[in-house]
């Protein structure tokens, strides 16, 4: 896999993004097949949040380096993501489970302020294989 791959999400959907990540990982022969299912889920959640909570552009980035798969989504909203809810809180709501899924399935996750193509925003990422 190339060091990093970015994909614009302006006219994309979480389903297309999910398929793109899975397809890319399946075609690479360096042990990434074990991450496909979880990586697809994490990519879809990060992209869904980026598209749902902002009106501006968004982009996804997937990077494989030194045994760690990093999946991230950039969006034009500089505000931090809502922290993942606790298991008890999730039982009472119908939405808002995305970051809890990311926290549960990824080895680590985080966010940082960022800029892309002149737009301020944030980059929310998670990693597999980092433990």
């Amino acid at each position: 896999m190339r060091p990093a791959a970015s994909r614009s999400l302006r006219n994309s959907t979480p389903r297309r993004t999910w398929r793109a990540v899975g397809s890319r990982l399946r075609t690479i022969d360096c042990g990434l097949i074990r991450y496909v299912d979880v990586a697809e889920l994490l990519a879809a959640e990060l992209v869904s949040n980026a598209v749902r909570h902002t009106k501006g552009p968004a982009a996804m980035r997937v990077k494989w380096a030194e045994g760690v798969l990093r999946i991230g989504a950039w969006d034009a909203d500089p505000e931090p993501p809502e922290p993942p809810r606790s298991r008890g809180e999730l039982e009472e709501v119908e939405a808002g489970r995305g970051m809890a899924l990311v926290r549960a399935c990824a080895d680590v996750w985080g966010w940082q302020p960022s800029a892309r193509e002149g737009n301020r925003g944030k980059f929310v990422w998670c990693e597999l294989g980092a433990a």
Side-chain angles (χ1 to χ4, degrees):
M1 180 181 278
R2 287 185 238 150
S6 289
R7 182 169 191 220
S8 175
L9 303 175
R10 270 176 226 200
N11 297 318
S12 190
T13 64
R15 184 181 185 101
R16 261 192 236 148
T17 301
W18 167 76
R19 285 183 183 156
V21 168
S23 174
R24 185 166 187 114
L25 295 181
R26 283 183 189 91
T27 61
I28 307 303
D29 186 27
C30 58
L32 292 173
I33 195 73
R34 68 180 183 251
Y35 296 120
V36 170
D37 293 333
V38 175
E40 288 174 336
L41 172 68
L42 294 172
E45 289 301 330
L46 293 177
V47 169
S48 293
N49 283 348
V51 171
R52 172 178 273 178
H53 298 293
T54 65
K55 295 180 182 180
M60 179 182 70
R61 185 173 180 94
V62 177
K63 181 180 180 181
W64 172 253
E66 300 177 19
V68 176
L69 179 65
R70 178 178 269 208
I71 302 164
W74 176 87
D75 65 50
D77 182 1
E79 294 298 314
E82 288 189 30
R85 296 179 181 196
S86 71
R87 181 174 243 165
E89 291 175 310
L90 292 175
E91 293 173 3
E92 305 296 322
V93 297
E94 291 187 23
R97 293 183 170 94
M99 291 311 294
L101 278 170
V102 171
R103 180 183 62 194
C105 295
D107 294 322
V108 295
W109 78 276
W111 77 279
Q112 61 203 49
S114 185
R116 182 180 174 94
E117 298 174 6
N119 295 305
R120 290 178 0 118
K122 67 181 169 293
F123 185 70
V124 182
W125 54 269
C126 62
E127 293 180 348
L128 296 171

